Amino acid sequence: MKWKHGFVWMFLLLSSVSVWAQPKNTSHASQVWLAYFNQTRLSNKWGLWGDFQIRTREDLVSDFSTGIARVGLTYLVDDNVRLTLGYGFINNFPANDNITVSQPEHRPWQQVQWFTRNKRTRLMQYIRLEERYRKRYLSNTELADSYSFNFRMRYNIFYQVPLHPEGIVPGKLSAIINDELHINFGKQIVNNYFDQNRLFLGLNYAFDASNNLQFGYLNTFIQTAAGNQYRNINALRVAYLQNLDLRKGR
């Protein structure tokens, strides 16, 4: 439907405003984000989710900022709608040289994901709810026994178009535009209900029907807990995606 495609482009255009119109009190960083994503179908109704990520801190290759290991159990309503319940462990490496201890985070999550496919384009969306339990700092060298907590809602929209007349097929490149909006809520959120927006522009190379490599430019615009401080990250993102089907006869 043409109106659906128009909505996609309008949403992505509005979401990308933060890339160009940023407050003066914004710090900047250049990073590399590496990721592996896996969705494995075990049966007609059940599947598994896994993703593992590592991100650098500054100047593309200086130290690490974040490590993520996330798993989930997926129920397939049908071929186009999936419900996932999962858990993630996130390690936040020291944000600067004054901090010497990493901050761990436990993150249960729930998600509904749906796909819209036609002969030439692919549209994927999901809404994810996260419960974030982050260890508090006692000092730059010691963690407390308590946790901070908040909810976060994420809306992700992913649009893929072919760059070859044959369409989105193995051995050919396709273009990707992807945006994800993060919203915080909960008693401990005071100044930053808007958490961040991630806009990705890149390419997808399909090795076959199950294995894809994605690479391109990612802009992440973050509002910190202080409310009046922002962070703009320009990153090179490289991700390997596997979609496996273990059903017999497939």
Side-chain angles (χ1 to χ4, degrees), residues 31-34 53-57 63-68 90-93 107:
Q31 299 181 353
V32 175
W33 292 28
L34 303 176
Q53 305 182 42
I54 191 73
R55 301 167 186 168
T56 61
R57 194 177 80 185
D63 299 319
F64 294 111
S65 64
T66 309
I68 299 173
I90 290 80
N91 187 51
N92 298 292
F93 294 93
R107 190 186 296 176

Side-chain angles (χ1 to χ4, degrees), residues 79-145:
D79 287 341
N80 294 315
V81 180
R82 303 178 181 187
L83 307 176
T84 302
L85 176 68
Y87 165 78
F89 177 78
I90 290 80
N91 187 51
N92 298 292
F93 294 93
N96 56 62
D97 293 336
N98 296 322
I99 300 174
T100 61
V101 61
S102 295
Q103 181 188 43
E105 176 181 341
H106 303 283
R107 190 186 296 176
W109 58 284
Q110 306 82 41
Q111 175 178 287
V112 55
Q113 180 185 33
W114 65 99
F115 301 84
T116 305
R117 301 179 176 92
N118 60 39
K119 292 182 179 180
R120 291 192 58 79
T121 64
R122 301 289 186 271
L123 176 65
M124 185 281 294
Q125 300 172 79
Y126 68 63
I127 297 174
R128 179 183 298 174
L129 176 64
E130 300 174 322
E131 297 80 38
R132 306 183 66 190
Y133 297 85
R134 285 165 290 176
K135 273 279 192 177
R136 300 179 189 272
Y137 279 105
L138 275 180
S139 66
N140 286 349
T141 61
E142 187 178 0
L143 294 171
D145 292 331

Side-chain angles (χ1 to χ4, degrees), residues 7-237:
F7 169 78
V8 171
W9 290 111
M10 181 62 69
F11 176 83
L12 293 169
L13 177 62
L14 292 175
S15 299
S16 66
V17 168
S18 61
V19 179
W20 314 113
Q22 298 172 6
K24 293 182 179 179
N25 49 344
T26 300
S27 63
H28 298 266
S30 299
Q31 299 181 353
V32 175
W33 292 28
L34 303 176
Y36 169 76
F37 293 92
N38 180 287
Q39 291 197 61
T40 297
R41 191 161 183 173
L42 303 174
S43 67
N44 288 339
K45 288 298 183 182
W46 295 99
L48 299 174
W49 174 293
D51 70 85
F52 307 91
Q53 305 182 42
I54 191 73
R55 301 167 186 168
T56 61
R57 194 177 80 185
E58 304 285 346
D59 303 322
L60 292 180
V61 294
S62 176
D63 299 319
F64 294 111
S65 64
T66 309
I68 299 173
R70 190 160 31 217
V71 294
L73 178 65
T74 296
Y75 175 77
L76 291 92
V77 178
D78 55 37
D79 287 341
N80 294 315
V81 180
R82 303 178 181 187
L83 307 176
T84 302
L85 176 68
Y87 165 78
F89 177 78
I90 290 80
N91 187 51
N92 298 292
F93 294 93
N96 56 62
D97 293 336
N98 296 322
I99 300 174
T100 61
V101 61
S102 295
Q103 181 188 43
E105 176 181 341
H106 303 283
R107 190 186 296 176
W109 58 284
Q110 306 82 41
Q111 175 178 287
V112 55
Q113 180 185 33
W114 65 99
F115 301 84
T116 305
R117 301 179 176 92
N118 60 39
K119 292 182 179 180
R120 291 192 58 79
T121 64
R122 301 289 186 271
L123 176 65
M124 185 281 294
Q125 300 172 79
Y126 68 63
I127 297 174
R128 179 183 298 174
L129 176 64
E130 300 174 322
E131 297 80 38
R132 306 183 66 190
Y133 297 85
R134 285 165 290 176
K135 273 279 192 177
R136 300 179 189 272
Y137 279 105
L138 275 180
S139 66
N140 286 349
T141 61
E142 187 178 0
L143 294 171
D145 292 331
S146 60
Y147 291 84
S148 65
F149 172 79
N150 70 274
F151 294 99
R152 185 168 71 178
M153 186 73 73
R154 299 165 62 158
Y155 171 64
N156 187 301
I157 183 168
F158 172 98
Y159 191 60
Q160 183 179 5
V161 295
L163 297 177
H164 192 274
E166 295 180 17
I168 301 175
V169 294
K172 306 299 180 183
L173 287 171
S174 54
I176 296 169
I177 182 167
N178 177 208
D179 194 84
E180 187 172 30
L181 177 65
H182 299 60
I183 301 295
N184 291 319
F185 62 99
K187 292 182 179 180
Q188 296 185 17
I189 300 300
V190 178
N191 299 313
N192 63 326
Y193 289 98
F194 167 79
D195 178 60
Q196 61 184 275
N197 189 78
R198 299 175 182 174
L199 177 66
F200 176 71
L201 303 172
L203 297 172
N204 182 94
Y205 180 80
F207 295 98
D208 53 37
S210 301
N211 296 273
N212 293 265
L213 180 67
Q214 295 178 0
F215 52 94
Y217 167 74
L218 173 70
N219 177 268
T220 300
F221 183 70
I222 303 169
Q223 183 179 23
T224 68
N228 61 351
Q229 299 293 324
Y230 301 86
R231 184 167 173 80
N232 186 64
I233 298 172
N234 296 300
L236 168 65
R237 188 173 81 177

